[in-house]
Amino acid sequence: MEFIETGRISDHEKLKKEVPLGLLELLSIPGVGPKKAKLFYERLGVKSIGDLEEAARKGMLAGLPGVGAKTEEKILKGILLWRKSRERRSLGRILPLAQEIINRLKESPSVRRISPAGSLRRMKDTVKDLDILVVSTEPMDVMERFVSFPFVMEVLGMGPTKSSILTKDAFQIDLRVVPEESFGAALQYFTGSKNHNIHLRQIAVKRGLKVSEYGVFKESSNEKIAGYTEEEVYEALGLVWIPPELREDRGEIEAALEGRLPKLLELSDIKGDLHIHSKWSDGAHTVEELIQKAIEKGYKYIAITDHSKSLGVARGLDEERLLSQIEEIRSIQQRYNSIKIFAGIEVDILQDGSLDLPNEILSKLDIVIASVHSGFNMSQEEMTHRICKALSNPYVDILGHPTGRLLEERNGYPVDIMTVIQKAREEGVALEINAYPQRLDLNDVNAKIAKESGVKLAINTDAHTFGQLDFMVFGVATARRGWIEKEDVINAWEVDELIKWLNS
Ligand SMILES: [Zn+2]
Ligand SMILES: [Zn+2]
């Protein structure tokens, strides 16, 4: 799991034995391990990130045993990053919350239409706040329900058209009640993005029109010509409706004008999941349990891809155990004909770019994902070289979570992603969009570049439990934001097509 891959749990365990519990938050700061946290506590009385920041600003860290000016600088930078990342919440955390709120508000018989707006509707990987729009015959009834939800910490404001609350997690949610005849215009306006809307307004001006949250109006007569639905707002501007995920002013308006918007990938296009961990390493379920679950989900194929031996904490497989697992998968396959089970591995890319298992054994597998899980501390040049070397191994099919980022936690390792994309194209390796909500790696922008470079993608959940198999929705959202279509995604293909690609 993520914890194992980051080593965070073992750090926590170590620290818990040595220092008071309050210090655990210090481990959120890159560059502060259990030893340093203990040192700062004992020498300087540092008990919180605030204390740590103050001490670092005063230059009190440098000079302690094993701590130089560089480390102090790194810690200060880490604190800034930690603060910044706290501001935005991952889509994986906020989407379920939004769904819950909407479901609860729908219980009010006065609610006629309701939708999230803002960056959540655009399915951005992280969101700063949440906007919900509603049409209701009894606005105050909806508002009262909203501000009395159990997760509300503070009501920032409440009125018949807008109420704002902070959740117990200090996350702001705004609920707006809008007139039914402007719902489409309001939804368009509050969905954004800002840049997308600025560009739309420029188009409107050229056509002698005005766009606002109330509708599209003729500049000359103020006559309202659209606003009830989003579709008619776009149509009034001479455009087809643009899916929210594309609304970043990254060329979607031009594409809509020219009738060449992509036909975006849908969740229902996904035919299998090619990155799943079983009990053989750090997953929670047996191979057979996973297969039954995949059949329930309607998948045509799955790949079992456990960790390799160098990830000892995750009980990574050595040659012998991997051979036994392949044998088990082949024998289980004989009992299932509705689903293809690929025997795979998520093999570690070692520091020098070689793989954690020899080619002789990789050749026995159907699918090989290569991933970096450790040794992040190298230069961009070294890391790029390391990954490209792994991609040149003829048995590697997919590069797992290509940048190693963990949203709300850490940036990726330094890597020249353009060079990696080029290398993937040359070697015919697919890049993963890891659907784990903290990863969403590749991100939207890089996925778009990969597609434009002719690189195929794989959208995988990296599930360690049944529930995590549902993360696929986040990966598909990221792909859609990257303009990805069905044919770009190897696990949206029919099984024969995929097998052909794997063998080529
Ligand atoms: Zn991994
Ligand atoms: Zn994995």
Side-chain angles (χ1 to χ4, degrees):
M1 311 217 13
E2 302 306 325
F3 294 115
I4 284 162
E5 295 187 356
T6 56
R8 181 105 333 136
I9 279 185
S10 52
D11 280 357
H12 270 104
E13 292 310 315
K14 256 187 264 165
L15 190 63
K16 252 194 267 180
K17 287 190 199 119
E18 290 163 2
V19 293
L21 261 175
L23 283 193
L24 285 178
E25 74 166 17
L26 292 187
L27 293 183
S28 315
I29 306 302
V32 182
K35 256 162 86 188
K36 286 216 178 71
K38 184 167 179 258
L39 177 75
F40 298 154
Y41 170 66
E42 287 177 347
R43 295 289 190 92
L44 305 169
V46 165
K47 286 200 210 83
S48 66
I49 290 174
D51 291 349
L52 181 66
E53 182 171 37
E54 200 186 321
R57 287 210 187 286
K58 287 183 181 154
M60 290 161 71
L61 305 185
L64 291 176
V67 186
K70 244 182 150 173
T71 309
E72 191 172 66
E73 207 178 294
K74 190 177 167 197
I75 288 172
L76 268 175
K77 253 173 81 184
I79 293 173
L80 273 177
L81 177 75
W82 178 79
R83 288 247 153 76
K84 223 172 91 197
S85 73
R86 301 281 281 194
E87 290 167 12
R88 300 192 71 89
R89 316 298 164 101
S90 75
L91 179 68
R93 272 208 277 166
I94 303 304
L95 189 64
L97 176 66
Q99 275 157 353
E100 186 192 335
I101 293 171
I102 287 174
N103 288 340
R104 282 171 177 247
L105 290 177
K106 272 184 176 166
E107 286 167 14
S108 164
S110 76
V111 168
R112 297 171 56 87
R113 295 171 78 180
I114 186 163
S115 173
S119 48
L120 181 100
R121 183 160 178 250
R122 303 201 310 279
M123 299 292 263
K124 219 167 150 43
D125 50 19
T126 57
V127 298
K128 208 170 91 221
D129 47 28
L130 171 62
D131 289 298
I132 297 174
L133 302 186
V134 65
V135 173
S136 164
T137 50
E138 290 193 52
M140 285 319 282
D141 171 57
V142 177
M143 294 306 190
E144 265 152 33
R145 284 171 191 258
F146 176 60
V147 300
S148 50
F149 285 151
F151 48 77
V152 174
M153 175 174 75
E154 202 183 326
V155 179
L156 301 172
M158 184 183 171
T161 58
K162 186 186 172 194
S163 296
S164 301
I165 60 109
L166 278 187
T167 67
K168 287 181 177 153
D169 194 24
F171 179 74
Q172 185 171 338
I173 306 174
D174 296 343
L175 180 70
R176 292 167 202 273
V177 174
V178 300
E180 185 148 28
E181 63 275 15
S182 338
F183 184 76
L187 189 55
Q188 196 291 313
Y189 180 87
F190 288 109
T191 296
S193 67
K194 201 174 148 203
N195 290 341
H196 175 87
N197 285 358
I198 288 172
H199 195 159
L200 278 192
R201 261 174 273 154
Q202 289 165 353
I203 288 178
V205 168
K206 281 191 202 139
R207 295 178 155 243
L209 301 169
K210 280 187 310 197
V211 192
S212 75
E213 60 191 280
Y214 303 104
V216 183
F217 300 85
K218 283 188 181 162
E219 182 75 60
S220 53
S221 61
N222 243 357
E223 182 198 341
K224 183 171 171 180
I225 59 168
Y228 186 80
T229 65
E230 260 195 340
E231 283 81 356
E232 65 180 43
V233 169
Y234 281 98
E235 200 190 335
L237 301 173
L239 299 163
V240 291
W241 180 80
I242 299 174
E245 294 94 330
L246 295 183
R247 299 182 196 171
E248 299 292 343
D249 199 22
R250 291 181 190 147
E252 74 281 5
I253 293 176
E254 291 84 350
L257 281 169
E258 292 159 21
R260 50 172 182 82
L261 278 175
K263 190 178 180 311
L264 295 181
L265 179 80
E266 307 273 350
L267 183 59
S268 58
D269 291 330
I270 297 295
K271 296 198 170 55
D273 196 332
L274 300 177
H275 185 166
I276 299 175
H277 295 270
S278 78
K279 250 186 176 159
W280 281 86
S281 65
D282 58 349
H285 310 291
T286 64
V287 171
E288 186 136 20
E289 285 165 345
L290 287 164
I291 286 155
Q292 285 164 357
K293 200 72 187 175
I295 292 171
E296 253 173 63
K297 287 183 77 69
Y299 283 156
K300 297 281 178 274
Y301 46 83
I302 59 166
I304 303 297
T305 55
D306 279 302
H307 287 294
S308 63
K309 62 188 177 188
S310 77
L311 260 189
V313 278
R315 298 207 317 124
L317 304 184
D318 59 15
E319 289 84 339
E320 201 181 321
R321 290 181 66 222
L322 181 55
L323 283 173
S324 315
Q325 191 196 35
I326 297 172
E327 213 172 290
E328 181 188 286
I329 289 172
R330 302 294 183 226
S331 99
I332 293 173
Q333 177 73 83
Q334 290 177 353
R335 300 201 300 276
Y336 293 88
N337 49 24
S338 66
I339 190 163
K340 167 73 188 170
I341 314 154
F342 293 114
I345 188 87
E346 181 181 18
V347 65
D348 262 61
I349 301 175
L350 304 178
Q351 299 261 0
D352 65 355
S354 64
L355 301 179
D356 195 22
L357 289 166
N359 281 352
E360 192 207 337
I361 188 151
L362 297 180
S363 72
K364 298 187 195 316
L365 293 161
D366 304 315
I367 190 163
V368 173
I369 302 174
S371 302
V372 170
H373 288 125
S374 59
F376 290 10
N377 238 338
M378 47 174 70
S379 70
Q380 172 166 314
E381 202 184 342
E382 287 169 316
M383 185 58 90
T384 307
H385 180 77
R386 173 183 179 185
I387 292 175
C388 286
K389 185 174 165 196
L391 296 190
S392 67
N393 181 298
Y395 295 104
V396 171
D397 300 299
I398 299 172
L399 174 64
H401 41 74
T403 77
R405 74 169 183 177
L406 285 182
L407 292 168
E408 303 178 316
E409 205 166 301
R410 65 162 192 238
N411 288 331
Y413 33 71
V415 62
D416 176 1
I417 196 69
M418 295 305 294
T419 302
V420 170
I421 288 171
Q422 283 313 315
K423 184 69 176 173
R425 191 184 56 79
E426 283 162 31
E427 301 289 345
V429 171
L431 298 181
E432 182 177 69
I433 295 178
N434 189 294
Y436 213 92
Q438 265 193 299
R439 291 194 182 275
L440 301 180
D441 174 18
L442 291 177
N443 68 13
D444 50 1
V445 172
N446 288 333
K448 187 165 187 265
I449 295 170
K451 176 200 166 95
E452 287 163 356
S453 310
V455 174
K456 297 298 173 204
L457 297 157
I459 305 175
N460 298 323
T461 64
D462 203 353
H464 293 69
T465 64
F466 285 158
Q468 293 174 353
L469 290 166
D470 295 332
F471 286 165
M472 192 60 83
V473 62
F474 302 112
V476 169
T478 301
R480 287 170 63 86
R481 288 180 54 82
W483 296 52
I484 301 304
E485 300 172 286
K486 189 177 165 184
E487 53 268 30
D488 305 318
V489 179
I490 63 169
N491 55 317
W493 297 348
E494 299 296 338
V495 67
D496 299 341
E497 207 183 337
L498 175 57
I499 290 172
K500 220 170 88 190
W501 182 84
L502 288 170
N503 292 337
S504 70

